[in-house]
Amino acid sequence: MLLVFMTLIGCERELSDEAEFATFSKTGEIFTDNFVGLGTNFFFPFVSDGAKADVFSVDEDVAFESSASIRIDVPNANDPDGSFAGAIFIVDGSGRNLTEFDALTFWAKSTQGVSDITMGFGESKFQVARNDISFSTNWVKHIIPIPDPSKLTEEKGMLFFSAGTGNTGGFGYTFWLDEVKFEKLGTIAQAQPAILNGVDVAQDAFIDIPVQLTGLSQTLNAAGRNITVTAAPSYFEFKSSDIDVARANETGLVSVVGNGQATISATLANVAAQGSLALNVNGTFDFAPTPPARNTNDVISIFSDAYTNAPVDYFNGFFSDGFQTTLGGAPPLDVNGDAVINYTVLNFVGIGTFQDVPSINTTEMTHLHIDIKVNESIDPGDFITIQLLNSVGDNETSGSVRFESDAFTRDQWVSLDIPLNDFGLADRSKIGLLFFISDATISDIFVDNIYYYK
């Protein structure tokens, strides 16, 4: 599944300045028989993320109750010009006042049934994405609710999409969009905002080490069904129980400023969000041991400031199977210039090197090194399992090594040097996933210095 979360330049406007934002267009239509009021330079493909540039056209032969439609040609996964179709349509000129609407709607169909399409609207500040859209060979209307219309006084990001071939065997396809517009449906109701995926998270924190709030969403009932969208942090109002300990800004970044306890909660459009972050702050951060100097030919580093790291797809795959709870790792923390991974609500999490980057060939390596610090009490029966997967999705094999509770000490870094032979893998030439598995027995850890060596 392709999830492209853009970093685009947003626009800010004082909400109280009614005379000023009233001058922005209140047009809801984006595309009917053609584009409506977008100007001449409005299509921006996500080329830097690996998207193919020339996937868009206006099709005058296929349409839904009109004379034309937006046509998107999704490339094959091995297309040298780009492995997926992704872009944003941005108004060429002043943004629009969308405060009178409650949803973005459009009709769509595809040359074949496809799922896990991401579509949404907004530049970075008030971006909204729906990640579960499916297209069929028939025209179907889709709805993307606006989490809080009052925020959209000057929005330029009218529509974005990200579509790949993860469920088509790597083969490309075409889809069409028509009657794309912001509407006032009047049936959007029953708001259920959430932060941290609706979970009440408790964890240790450290002075001057920020914590990024993730798992932000808004669920609204539309047309008789609940629709969940990811929502940018600026839609939320964050509150701290003690601002002298921790406080969150509008980007969802929690600054940790003093010792003590503080709980971060949130509301969206005056509705309390499910989920909270309870922080226990006791001093400054203790960094992992510095790795020894090794010959560069003897190391394949996945995550360490001591060596040059190999390319990595992700440090948290956020597997959408309904079972993974793990937060963190996307991106890793920057602690005064030192990168560290903090996994919370850990049950399992994968570091991927098999999607857009070459798998890791560890044939010549002898050991896997990982530094882990457990940030909570450790009880008998607690464990962390390290698992490696070779040749992911192509006759894959896996092997694991389990570390029991006595291998760890609370709030202390532990260095694991695991012989690769202990994983029992006959082939280690295409290591594509490294898993940390605790089954929630241990839920809050720091991880650093992940590398293979000989």
Side-chain angles (χ1 to χ4, degrees):
M1 179 174 69
L2 284 167
L3 296 178
V4 178
F5 205 76
M6 294 72 66
T7 303
L8 300 168
I9 299 175
C11 299
E12 296 187 34
R13 181 69 54 170
E14 290 294 332
L15 299 185
S16 61
D17 192 351
E18 296 182 6
E20 205 169 313
F21 73 64
T23 64
F24 296 112
S25 170
K26 294 185 177 181
T27 300
E29 289 80 9
I30 300 168
F31 185 97
T32 52
D33 289 334
N34 208 326
F35 287 96
V36 179
L38 265 62
T40 58
N41 184 29
F42 56 82
F43 181 72
F44 297 89
F46 306 139
V47 176
S48 62
D49 293 312
K52 188 174 182 178
D54 56 343
V55 299
F56 151 68
S57 61
V58 174
D59 193 328
E60 296 182 349
D61 296 320
V62 178
F64 174 78
E65 295 183 354
S66 64
S67 61
S69 64
I70 300 172
R71 172 174 172 152
I72 305 297
D73 295 307
V74 181
N76 293 332
N78 61 356
D79 191 313
D81 294 325
S83 60
F84 73 100
I88 186 169
F89 296 87
I90 298 177
V91 175
D92 184 11
S94 298
R96 296 185 184 181
N97 180 352
L98 304 175
T99 57
E100 297 179 359
F101 306 107
D102 57 18
L104 170 67
T105 68
F106 57 90
W107 289 81
K109 78 168 188 174
S110 178
T111 52
Q112 67 183 87
V114 291
S115 60
D116 294 335
I117 306 296
T118 294
M119 300 197 70
F121 60 87
E123 295 184 277
S124 59
K125 184 171 184 179
F126 294 115
Q127 189 177 92
V128 174
R130 182 176 169 189
N131 303 316
D132 62 350
I133 292 178
S134 299
F135 295 153
S136 71
T137 55
N138 297 317
W139 287 104
V140 175
K141 186 174 183 178
H142 298 271
I143 298 171
I144 303 179
I146 301 175
D148 181 2
S150 70
K151 300 285 188 178
L152 303 183
T153 59
E154 187 188 352
E155 182 56 61
K156 299 183 70 173
M158 295 292 98
L159 172 72
F160 67 78
F161 62 87
S162 175
T165 57
N167 50 40
T168 64
F171 294 102
Y173 53 92
T174 297
F175 66 86
W176 294 266
L177 307 173
D178 203 355
E179 297 299 310
V180 185
K181 64 184 72 173
F182 288 94
E183 291 190 75
K184 178 69 173 179
L185 298 178
T187 57
I188 306 293
Q190 301 174 22
Q192 302 173 57
I195 64 173
L196 299 168
N197 296 323
V199 177
D200 293 322
V201 176
Q203 68 181 68
D204 289 337
F206 305 90
I207 294 173
D208 294 332
I209 297 181
V211 180
Q212 181 66 54
L213 293 171
T214 58
L216 277 61
S217 66
Q218 171 71 298
T219 299
L220 291 158
N221 189 275
R225 58 169 293 196
N226 284 338
I227 298 176
T228 297
V229 297
T230 60
S234 293
Y235 280 102
F236 292 80
E237 299 292 333
F238 299 105
K239 180 181 179 181
S240 172
S241 63
D242 190 340
I243 61 173
D244 292 327
V245 175
R247 64 195 73 167
N249 65 18
E250 66 172 1
T251 69
L253 187 69
V254 180
S255 298
V256 182
V257 296
N259 289 325
Q261 290 79 39
T263 298
I264 306 297
S265 57
T267 59
L268 196 164
N270 297 318
V271 177
Q274 295 180 339
S276 63
L277 177 63
L279 298 177
N280 178 47
V281 184
N282 185 18
T284 56
F285 186 71
D286 177 26
F287 288 93
T290 301
R294 298 182 184 275
N295 189 301
T296 56
N297 294 326
D298 295 338
V299 176
I300 301 175
S301 181
I302 304 301
F303 181 80
S304 177
D305 293 308
Y307 308 109
T308 299
N309 294 320
V312 172
D313 290 312
Y314 53 75
F315 291 100
N316 188 341
F318 293 108
F319 295 96
S320 57
D321 55 10
F323 295 102
Q324 185 190 359
T325 60
T326 308
L327 302 174
L333 298 175
D334 183 347
V335 185
N336 297 326
D338 190 355
V340 181
I341 297 172
N342 183 204
Y343 291 129
T344 59
V345 203
L346 173 69
N347 62 343
F348 68 91
V349 66
I351 297 176
T353 53
F354 70 97
Q355 288 184 324
D356 299 321
V357 302
S359 297
I360 302 298
N361 184 350
T362 65
T363 303
E364 299 299 321
M365 301 294 110
T366 62
H367 289 75
L368 169 62
H369 178 95
I370 304 173
D371 290 323
I372 296 178
K373 184 162 80 75
V374 178
N375 303 317
E376 61 184 41
S377 60
I378 303 170
D379 300 317
D382 290 354
F383 69 92
I384 295 177
T385 293
I386 310 299
Q387 183 181 53
L388 299 179
L389 270 66
N390 190 74
S391 191
V392 176
D394 182 19
N395 296 316
E396 70 183 46
T397 56
S398 66
S400 61
V401 177
R402 174 166 163 152
F403 294 90
E404 304 294 343
S405 58
D406 57 2
F408 305 101
T409 302
R410 177 175 180 168
D411 297 330
Q412 292 186 19
W413 285 100
V414 172
S415 295
L416 305 178
D417 288 277
I418 313 168
L420 289 174
N421 286 337
D422 288 1
F423 290 94
L425 291 170
D427 182 8
R428 301 198 309 267
S429 64
K430 296 181 179 179
I431 300 297
L433 274 169
L434 187 159
F435 276 104
F436 296 87
I437 304 168
S438 73
D439 291 349
T441 62
I442 293 175
S443 62
D444 185 355
I445 63 173
F446 281 104
V447 180
D448 203 351
N449 298 322
I450 306 170
Y451 58 87
Y452 303 93
Y453 71 93
K454 65 177 178 181

